[in-house]
Amino acid sequence: MKYKLSQEEKELESSIERNEWKSVDNKAQYLKKFKSAAKNTLLKDKRMNIRIAGKDIQLLKTKALEIGIPYQTLVSSILHQYVTGKLTER
């Protein structure tokens, strides 16, 4: 059985083939920051359900894949950083 790519997967594949993906600077530091934030969010005791655009979910999954963590962990980490003042608006 052959797997059929979704439109989003086709776009992602094309983007990779066009060499549009770049490595992040200081990858070790970048990973350390997000792993630390993820560790701080492991003490989860409440559930939250939200509706979010499919495109935003795909972007979150892509970012999470780049840094090597599950996308839910990335979302939780971002929210934790924001509410604790470690992530601020520009």
Side-chain angles (χ1 to χ4, degrees):
M1 186 166 129
K2 188 174 179 179
Y3 177 76
K4 184 177 178 182
L5 296 177
S6 71
Q7 183 61 34
E8 288 180 77
E9 290 169 321
K10 289 176 186 176
E11 290 171 9
L12 180 59
E13 185 177 58
S14 294
S15 175
I16 292 168
E17 289 171 354
R18 289 189 304 270
N19 207 24
E20 295 176 344
W21 293 81
K22 305 291 183 232
S23 294
V24 294
D25 293 331
N26 301 320
K27 183 178 178 181
Q29 183 180 2
Y30 194 70
L31 284 172
K32 183 179 176 184
K33 179 178 101 172
F34 281 102
K35 285 181 181 181
S36 173
K39 183 179 176 185
N40 290 333
T41 61
L42 287 177
L43 303 173
K44 301 173 201 164
D45 62 350
K46 299 289 181 189
R47 177 185 282 292
M48 182 174 97
N49 295 312
I50 61 171
R51 298 193 63 77
I52 186 167
K55 192 173 188 177
D56 290 339
I57 289 279
Q58 189 59 47
L59 289 170
L60 284 164
K61 287 181 178 182
T62 301
K63 289 288 186 188
L65 185 61
E66 288 172 7
I67 59 176
I69 61 174
Y71 80 96
Q72 298 98 331
T73 302
L74 176 60
V75 172
S76 182
S77 172
I78 292 166
L79 289 171
H80 175 76
Q81 289 178 55
Y82 181 74
V83 299
T84 58
K86 296 175 184 169
L87 180 67
T88 58
E89 297 179 48
R90 289 187 196 185

